Amino acid sequence: MKRLLKISALFLALPISVLTNCSLRASADSTAGIVLSTKCQGRYNINIWQNYTSGELLYRATSPNGNLSLGKGTSQATEGVRVYKFRSGIYEYWVWDGTLDNPQSGTLEVYKNNRILMKQACRKS
């Protein structure tokens, strides 16, 4: 009897968790629009989003080293190329939207204590 209760609880919980996950993703995605999507060397995938209401810039990255989500980014035009900057403690993440030579390419730069740790070439996706 206990086994039957556990199985029925599992079958009841599974659809609820699937519905919850789907609805959470849809509502989260509906609050922001994508500004930039890039694929970088080292299998880094970077997406920059902007919240429709607040205008806040959001950084979402997936990589072999894990996933990272940051908010409160800034954007500025530098020599005709836009750069998005995000901070997390002593780390800064800069995503360059294009280069002077090629608007379809870009760069991901990671800094620790204002010293560059990593620089990866990127391509808009």
Side-chain angles (χ1 to χ4, degrees):
M1 183 67 170
K2 284 185 180 182
R3 187 167 191 265
L4 181 61
L5 284 174
K6 286 181 184 179
I7 291 172
S8 60
L10 176 65
F11 282 118
L12 181 61
L14 185 60
I16 291 171
S17 67
V18 169
L19 286 173
T20 302
N21 284 336
C22 291
S23 65
L24 287 176
R25 276 193 209 107
S27 65
D29 289 346
S30 66
T31 62
I34 194 146
V35 176
L36 177 65
S37 180
T38 64
K39 293 185 182 299
C40 305
Q41 291 174 333
R43 295 186 350 213
Y44 288 87
N45 297 312
I46 312 294
N47 291 310
I48 307 294
W49 297 79
Q50 187 168 27
N51 184 291
Y52 291 128
T53 308
S54 67
E56 179 183 8
L57 291 171
L58 311 166
Y59 174 96
R60 303 289 184 260
T62 59
S63 77
N65 297 325
N67 301 335
L68 180 62
S69 294
L70 300 172
K72 300 181 181 176
T74 63
S75 169
Q76 67 187 62
T78 305
E79 299 177 14
V81 177
R82 184 152 300 279
V83 61
Y84 299 93
K85 297 180 182 181
F86 298 86
R87 178 179 287 280
S88 176
I90 60 173
Y91 294 93
E92 278 191 60
Y93 301 84
W94 293 17
V95 182
W96 294 85
D97 183 359
T99 65
L100 292 176
D101 298 333
N102 185 350
Q104 288 302 310
S105 64
T107 309
L108 166 65
E109 297 175 350
V110 180
Y111 296 85
K112 179 181 180 183
N113 291 325
N114 298 320
R115 291 191 177 145
I116 194 157
L117 283 179
M118 180 180 74
K119 186 174 185 176
Q120 301 287 356
C122 303
R123 184 144 202 84
K124 290 184 184 179
S125 52

